[in-house]
Amino acid sequence: MAMPRHDRARVLLRQLYRTEARRARQFRYALLVLDLLSIGWIVLASFLPLNTLVLTVDCGLGLVLLAEFIARQSASARPWRSLVQPLELADLLGILSLLLAPLLHGALGFLRVLRTLRLLHSVRLVASLRSDLPFFRRNEEATLAAAQLGVFVFIMTGVVFETQHHGNPHITNYADALYFTVATLTTTGFGDITLQGRLGRLLSVVIMLAGVTLFLRLAQTLFRPNKVRFPCDSCGLQRHETDAVHCKACGTMLRIPDEGDG
């Protein structure tokens, strides 16, 4: 008996989102490109006046992202449980802010920065990067720490821009907001741009505290001795020296893959 069309579609989507086949990895890389393009548009739109063209692109991009969101939920074994996950809800709010932009004239524009939470948060994508890129495999922790810091900077830049550009004459686009965010995050605090109101002060505190934490984590991964991730079959120890032959915890023989490039 032939499988119904919608069941075949769900099987295909699960293969694309959840397997390690070559086509599936290429599909997930394409999704990463889509996420980067959507973020690029969010930044570019901050420099443009809110006109019909901008609202049309917002709506069109929202439709594309909504289609991908529905496909992702359809690929899940339990769509409703997946839908209530914090990252999924944040992504849906970001998509709705784009779709409703023509009706609300950008009033919910600040929600679109939530889309950045999807960047490099896919376990499958990380697995693909690890298998496809030797550089990522050797520097996985440092790369992810840098990516998390970058995502935080972008999110806080978006929040600063959306909460301040209507009433703060010093913040008129993402470049101004980025300048303030980086200056505050590094605790440099030049003082030429400040956030207005109690909310602005609280936001500055969040940027400083969280930013310093992420900076310290990145520094730790950069200066810690370089190790590779390879679970020991006996004791489960994850991190080993790059040239390790035996597990230092239990002595079990390791077979860590090596490209043989010296």
Side-chain angles (χ1 to χ4, degrees):
M1 183 177 178
M3 184 184 297
R5 182 177 298 178
H6 68 277
D7 288 341
R8 292 200 302 270
R10 290 194 65 183
V11 169
L12 175 61
L13 289 172
R14 287 179 182 176
Q15 291 175 348
L16 292 175
Y17 277 96
R18 300 183 178 280
T19 68
E20 296 304 322
R22 179 180 178 83
R23 181 175 64 169
R25 293 202 303 269
Q26 291 174 341
F27 173 75
R28 289 194 291 272
Y29 282 130
L31 292 182
L32 178 60
V33 172
L34 175 62
D35 287 337
L36 293 174
L37 288 176
S38 66
I39 292 171
W41 168 250
I42 291 171
V43 173
L44 177 62
S46 74
F47 293 90
L48 303 175
L50 191 62
N51 52 34
T52 303
L53 177 61
V54 171
L55 294 176
T56 301
V57 174
D58 277 350
C59 191
L61 178 60
L63 289 174
V64 173
L65 296 176
L66 180 62
E68 189 277 324
F69 181 86
I70 294 173
R72 193 188 332 142
Q73 302 310 312
S74 299
S76 174
R78 298 179 178 178
W80 290 110
R81 178 174 293 185
S82 173
L83 184 61
V84 298
Q85 296 294 321
L87 287 179
E88 299 297 325
L89 289 175
D91 195 26
L92 181 59
L93 286 174
I95 294 171
L96 290 178
S97 72
L98 292 168
L99 289 173
L100 298 177
L103 298 177
L104 301 176
H105 300 285
L108 297 179
F110 69 95
L111 292 175
R112 66 187 65 190
V113 300
L114 295 174
R115 291 224 76 244
T116 59
L117 294 175
R118 288 202 59 224
L119 288 178
L120 293 179
H121 275 255
S122 169
V123 175
R124 296 290 179 180
L125 177 59
V126 171
S128 298
L129 291 172
R130 187 184 298 120
S131 62
D132 294 343
L133 303 176
F135 174 83
F136 181 84
R137 186 162 55 248
R138 292 192 301 267
N139 304 278
E140 179 178 346
E141 292 190 16
T143 303
L144 290 178
Q148 289 170 355
L149 177 60
V151 169
F152 172 79
V153 169
F154 188 85
I155 290 176
M156 297 314 299
T157 297
V159 173
V160 168
F161 172 73
E162 295 295 345
T163 58
Q164 295 287 315
H165 77 280
H166 290 297
N168 192 331
H170 298 293
I171 297 180
T172 59
N173 52 53
Y174 261 70
D176 296 334
L178 176 63
Y179 169 75
F180 170 82
T181 300
V182 173
T184 304
L185 185 148
T186 57
T187 67
T188 304
F190 293 112
D192 52 342
I193 297 179
T194 57
L195 301 191
Q196 299 178 347
R198 184 176 301 171
L199 176 62
R201 296 188 182 93
L202 292 175
L203 188 56
S204 299
V205 171
V206 171
I207 293 173
M208 285 185 282
L209 293 178
V212 167
T213 302
L214 290 172
F215 259 130
L216 289 176
R217 181 171 178 235
L218 176 59
Q220 182 185 37
T221 59
L222 288 175
F223 294 105
R224 186 167 54 190
N226 189 29
K227 294 187 178 182
V228 295
R229 281 186 175 274
F230 186 83
C232 174
D233 292 334
S234 296
C235 69
L237 184 67
Q238 293 280 335
R239 303 180 74 249
H240 307 274
E241 303 296 334
T242 55
D243 58 351
V245 177
H246 297 87
C247 176
K248 66 179 181 181
C250 67
T252 299
M253 176 75 74
L254 298 172
R255 301 182 184 275
I256 302 175
D258 188 350
E259 290 83 15
D261 55 3

